[in-house]
Amino acid sequence: MDGRRPDSPKRRRDDQDDYDDAPPRKRSASRTPPPNASPSYRIAERPARRYSRGASEESHRYRERRRSYSHSRSPSRSRSRSNSRSSSSRRRPRSTPPKPTTLNYTPTLLLHGHKKPVSCVRFSPNGLLIASASADCTIKIWDAFTGSLEHTLEGHLAGISTLSWSPDSKILASGSDDKSIRLWDTNRGLAHPTPFIGHHNYVYSIAFSPKGNMLVSGSYDEAVYLWDVRAARVMRSLPAHSDPVGGVDFVRDGTLIVSCSHDGLIRVWDTATGQCLRTLVHEDNAPVSSVKFSPNGKYVLAWTLDSCIRLWNYIEGKGKCVKTYQGHANKNYSLSGAFGTYGSNSSQEYAFIASGSEDSTVILWDVGSKNVLQRLEGHTDAVLSVDTHPTEKLIASAGLDCTVRLWREQPARGEGHVGESGVKEVETNGNGEGEGEGYDPDLLPPIPFAEG
């Protein structure tokens, strides 16, 4: 590093690192866990839903066979069963609607305010707010439905690469190129007076635990730190990788941590002991820039710099790649995305993956079939970050064009180009009413986290 950084918070990988010629790293032999180690984690398989009509047709044919068989029996027995057959036919369930093959997200809000590229955008868990971080050293808090600017958070001394909301939506954590992590009271727009200091290089990824009492961070110093949020101190340091750590995440119950790196490895860790439980590596050994647990905790989704997104089953055997999603461009920047759901009603929902692309689009894939459901066009440069609303059919995206864009699913009106018609633009000069006043340790209340 020569001390100079480009404007973009998502820096290009070093060109001199030739990862294509390097052979895949060998996994180290598994060690017998110590007696006091936590047990292995197993997640029960859920039976696959039947979405096709095959089952109902088979049962119908079975009833037809029973009906012909009963006619060959005595007439009295046939008459005695006629009423039961008619009542059962009335109770026959309706066939499920076909699975949608396309989505119809359209642009609704275009948020201006950041002066440099936007590296990260996140919905709050309660769905009311959007946080965006930028290379201009600021964080902006927006109303998720009107797009109005609530606060501008200032305090970091360098570009900000990552954000994470606490589970109660009251605290926002940010990681910066100034090597620090800061907590922010989003109600008042103020920074906690004690930054988290410990990393020796850029802080590139952070994530709150499901209880909000811990924070995990990954850095260009190749380490993964586990932090005590209330004490603002490092609880555990994991010698995770041999190259910069691009992404970290907690599983849904907080018992596991996943990390990924430029070294091409994905590692799953026991939160309680810090033991590495699994190492995942693809045969191509492409640098892994971002990683995320699936909502059910069974899979890990990883973005790699070979224009692929891979879904890993890390539980069975030594772990295996079960799906590979392609169709976007990703060679130079660390992109990130999210899981979402779609379907005609809440009882018949399917999962999709949303991700940005270096060709200035947002792409939505069906998780099961890997088919592209929609491409969202509107950005004018690479889209670095995409997030989905926790309850609404709403997507937020941001990238190198310095804007935050919101997309909402609309009833299908036929195929067509997703244009800019009907988009509400929200402009701010950075001095809007209601913005935060930056760092003020005298006014900040105690951290509102519940004990334990």
Side-chain angles (χ1 to χ4, degrees):
M1 295 290 178
D2 57 5
R4 299 176 60 190
R5 294 183 301 275
D7 288 339
S8 169
K10 300 291 187 178
R11 291 167 298 282
R12 294 177 180 269
R13 304 294 184 176
D14 295 336
D15 294 335
Q16 63 269 24
D17 294 338
D18 188 3
Y19 290 90
D20 293 334
D21 297 332
R25 296 174 180 271
K26 295 183 178 179
R27 300 187 183 91
S28 59
S30 58
R31 300 177 180 176
T32 303
N36 58 350
S38 61
S40 300
Y41 295 91
R42 298 179 62 86
I43 301 176
E45 292 276 359
R46 297 192 302 175
R49 296 180 181 178
R50 293 184 179 272
Y51 298 115
S52 65
R53 299 174 178 170
S56 61
E57 292 175 354
E58 183 179 356
S59 60
H60 179 70
R61 290 195 299 270
Y62 175 75
R63 285 193 294 270
E64 289 296 327
R65 290 196 299 269
R66 289 294 302 270
R67 186 175 295 115
S68 61
Y69 175 78
S70 61
H71 284 309
S72 64
R73 308 278 292 188
S74 63
S76 59
R77 179 173 298 184
S78 175
R79 286 193 299 272
S80 64
R81 294 182 180 179
S82 60
N83 293 334
S84 62
R85 284 200 304 270
S86 61
S87 61
S88 63
S89 63
R90 287 194 298 269
R91 293 193 301 267
R92 186 180 305 163
R94 297 179 180 178
S95 59
T96 58
K99 183 178 179 179
T101 58
T102 60
L103 294 179
N104 188 34
Y105 277 87
T106 59
T108 57
L109 287 175
L110 173 56
L111 310 181
H112 296 278
H114 286 293
K115 299 177 182 178
K116 291 186 178 181
V118 183
S119 59
C120 187
V121 60
R122 292 286 183 269
F123 283 104
S124 61
N126 61 15
L128 300 179
L129 300 173
I130 298 172
S132 59
S134 170
D136 62 11
C137 309
T138 68
I139 302 166
K140 292 187 181 294
I141 307 295
W142 316 81
D143 185 285
F145 298 99
T146 67
S148 62
L149 181 65
E150 302 290 328
H151 300 290
T152 294
L153 310 179
E154 298 176 335
H156 280 294
L157 303 178
I160 303 164
S161 292
T162 178
L163 297 171
S164 180
W165 286 92
S166 65
D168 59 8
S169 301
K170 295 180 179 179
I171 294 293
L172 181 69
S174 59
S176 168
D177 286 1
D178 64 11
K179 307 175 186 177
S180 72
I181 298 170
R182 285 188 175 273
L183 301 184
W184 308 84
D185 181 344
T186 56
N187 290 328
R188 305 181 67 176
L190 302 175
H192 190 268
T194 307
F196 291 29
I197 304 296
H199 281 295
H200 305 294
N201 211 325
Y202 313 125
V203 179
Y204 212 64
S205 180
I206 55 177
F208 266 105
S209 67
K211 292 184 178 180
N213 60 330
M214 292 184 293
L215 193 72
V216 64
S217 62
S219 166
Y220 260 51
D221 61 12
E222 305 173 4
V224 173
Y225 284 0
L226 190 62
W227 303 82
D228 182 318
V229 171
R230 296 190 66 88
R233 64 177 180 84
V234 177
M235 298 170 55
R236 192 183 306 277
S237 175
L238 306 177
H241 297 276
S242 58
D243 275 314
V245 178
V248 291
D249 194 23
F250 272 101
V251 77
R252 58 186 297 181
D253 61 1
T255 57
L256 301 175
I257 295 170
V258 65
S259 65
C260 68
S261 170
H262 203 183
D263 60 13
L265 304 181
I266 303 168
R267 285 192 164 131
V268 179
W269 308 84
D270 185 331
T271 304
T273 65
Q275 178 187 3
C276 181
L277 304 177
R278 187 81 77 241
T279 297
L280 310 174
V281 57
H282 193 263
E283 58 184 3
D284 295 339
N285 204 39
V288 189
S289 61
S290 184
V291 72
K292 189 178 186 68
F293 276 109
S294 63
N296 64 6
K298 181 179 176 180
Y299 300 97
V300 167
L301 191 66
W303 281 254
T304 50
L305 295 184
D306 58 356
S307 299
C308 291
I309 302 174
R310 293 183 173 90
L311 188 68
W312 292 84
N313 183 338
Y314 66 94
I315 298 175
E316 296 181 0
K318 295 181 179 180
K320 61 180 179 179
C321 177
V322 293
K323 301 283 184 182
T324 299
Y325 306 91
Q326 294 177 302
H328 66 306
N330 186 195
K331 298 288 187 180
N332 301 310
Y333 297 98
S334 296
L335 309 184
S336 64
F339 287 92
T341 59
Y342 71 100
S344 57
N345 54 64
S346 59
S347 62
Q348 192 71 24
E349 287 192 331
Y350 308 93
F352 70 86
I353 294 168
S355 174
S357 174
E358 292 171 8
D359 62 7
S360 73
T361 64
V362 177
I363 303 179
L364 312 180
W365 292 268
D366 176 76
V367 171
S369 68
K370 303 183 292 184
N371 293 332
V372 174
L373 299 170
Q374 190 178 2
R375 293 178 183 269
L376 309 181
E377 299 179 1
H379 284 279
T380 57
D381 209 332
V383 182
L384 303 179
S385 181
V386 178
D387 198 21
T388 53
H389 194 279
T391 56
E392 302 287 330
K393 305 299 184 184
L394 194 63
I395 294 175
S397 59
L400 296 183
D401 60 4
C402 309
T403 66
V404 176
R405 294 173 183 257
L406 271 70
W407 317 77
R408 181 176 290 278
E409 187 179 22
Q410 303 293 340
R413 298 177 183 176
E415 298 181 0
H417 172 72
V418 180
E420 293 288 336
S421 60
V423 181
K424 177 184 176 183
E425 293 198 37
V426 181
E427 299 277 355
T428 175
N429 58 10
N431 299 312
E433 182 180 356
E435 293 192 60
E437 301 175 355
Y439 176 81
D440 191 343
D442 296 329
L443 297 178
L444 188 73
I447 303 177
F449 281 110
E451 293 288 347

